Amino acid sequence: MEQADLTAGEVVIESRYSSLNYKDALAITGAGKIARKRPLNAGIDVAGVVQASDDTRFAPGDEVLVTGWQLSETRDGGLADYVRVPAHCVTALPAGLTAWEAMALGTAGFTAGLAISRLRDNFQSPEAGPILVTGASGGVGMFAIQMLAQAGFSPVAVTRRVEAQGPALRELGATDVIAPDTLDLGGKPLGSETYGGAIDALGGPVLADLLGHIVQFGNVAAIGLAAGPKLETTVLPFILRGVSLLGINSVECPAPRREAVWRDLAGELKPAGLDRIAHETIGLNDVQAVCEAIMAGEHSGRTVVDVTR
């Protein structure tokens, strides 16, 4: 493919690093209908250096990143030597992050940071109680646990692999590790007010159950639907306890909020153990195998792709 064949945009980026997310695995293995046109380069994340720009905000040599913005859906993505995108999709690499670190975080880290930002906007405080994190052994969950702990919250990890993943999740900052069935309401619309809030990657029955355990005026940030898109619940958590359900759209997050979250990720929310979560850096030739492992449930943490290998 020549640069002229890439999808349209004002900024051409010479890729240095990308990363692998669940969405990438869906696209690359064909398990999910992610790409809406063909041919299309995969990869929803990229960090690199501006090669050319028709927008005065960016100049050749600037270090930049792009996450979301329909990369690998309708725009050519980051698992390629070059990416061309509209200027509004580009974020300057913030001081305090290298290109590798930006992709170690990638969409997963950005989503976790955005969820915490939304919780704080709605007056979530550590005093309200511990924060549930479902899908805790995935990239978003692991980042959320460490970021919450660093921000003074008490994260409780929710995973079906309590014994296998428990020690690692506690090392990241989880104060407890529980199985999803611990939250089962037993058919009742409300349970005990146990948790201050939640960051939920599962949706479906798990989200319905955990809503019934959130304290008065607590918040739940919905970031995923790994357990299903349907939500069968009642309005009681919302009208009797004032619980708020916050939708997290990391793909089309507006630029001002996006830039603020990335500044947080380069500062107070930057995971101290980033290299423990992103424990693997691979080349393009290994992408297929890792994506198959992700779909098989045999992968944990984050994988960075060195596009230059």
Side-chain angles (χ1 to χ4, degrees):
M1 177 183 283
E2 301 296 329
Q3 279 194 28
D5 300 322
L6 294 171
T7 44
E10 297 83 41
V11 182
V12 177
I13 300 168
E14 184 178 351
S15 307
R16 297 288 172 80
Y17 296 100
S18 184
S19 65
L20 296 180
N21 304 274
Y22 184 69
K23 194 171 183 179
D24 294 309
L26 287 172
I28 289 167
T29 63
K33 295 181 179 180
I34 304 301
R36 301 179 206 167
K37 57 180 287 188
R38 300 294 178 92
L40 200 70
N41 292 333
I44 66 172
D45 296 337
V46 67
V49 177
V50 172
Q51 186 199 53
S53 176
D54 294 330
D55 188 291
T56 57
R57 289 174 294 175
F58 302 101
D62 288 350
E63 291 190 289
V64 296
L65 64 94
V66 184
T67 59
W69 289 122
Q70 287 83 47
L71 294 190
S72 191
E73 296 180 55
T74 61
R75 294 184 174 117
D76 283 307
L79 292 169
D81 295 323
Y82 294 93
V83 179
R84 184 167 59 196
V85 292
H88 73 266
C89 301
V90 182
T91 301
L93 186 71
L97 280 183
T98 66
W100 182 92
E101 290 172 330
M103 290 297 95
L105 289 161
T107 286
F110 177 73
T111 301
L114 179 58
I116 294 171
S117 177
R118 292 290 310 280
L119 291 174
R120 285 169 155 175
D121 281 353
N122 219 33
F123 306 105
Q124 191 75 42
S125 69
E127 292 72 29
I131 305 293
L132 290 166
V133 179
T134 68
S137 58
V140 180
M142 295 173 77
F143 281 134
I145 287 168
Q146 186 155 38
M147 292 176 190
L148 286 166
Q150 289 179 185
F153 291 89
S154 298
V156 173
V158 183
T159 177
R160 288 184 173 84
R161 297 185 285 173
V162 174
E163 291 187 10
Q165 296 293 328
L169 294 171
R170 290 181 186 277
E171 186 176 347
L172 289 173
T175 56
D176 198 7
V177 182
I178 64 174
D181 56 15
T182 305
L183 303 170
D184 191 346
L185 291 171
K188 297 184 294 183
L190 290 174
S192 59
E193 296 182 56
T194 307
Y195 303 101
I199 295 176
D200 174 61
L202 302 180
V206 177
L207 175 55
D209 283 339
L210 70 83
L211 284 168
H213 289 290
I214 304 302
V215 303
Q216 290 272 350
F217 303 108
N219 301 283
V220 176
I223 64 168
L225 42 67
K230 292 185 178 180
L231 180 60
E232 297 182 7
T233 186
T234 72
V235 299
L236 295 183
F238 310 118
I239 64 174
L240 295 185
R241 292 183 178 168
V243 172
S244 294
L245 182 59
L246 309 175
I248 305 302
N249 179 1
S250 63
V251 174
E252 297 175 299
C253 176
R257 165 80 73 164
R258 187 180 291 267
E259 291 165 0
V261 171
W262 275 109
R263 286 194 296 271
D264 287 342
L265 294 173
E268 63 162 333
L269 292 184
K270 184 177 180 180
L274 187 54
D275 57 349
R276 293 201 306 272
I277 298 174
H279 53 79
E280 182 178 47
T281 301
I282 63 172
L284 285 172
N285 289 338
D286 298 317
V287 165
Q288 179 78 29
V290 173
C291 286
E292 290 173 356
I294 291 172
M295 295 309 302
E298 299 169 352
H299 181 272
S300 63
R302 293 279 294 159
T303 293
V304 176
V305 181
D306 184 342
V307 179
T308 66
R309 282 189 183 180

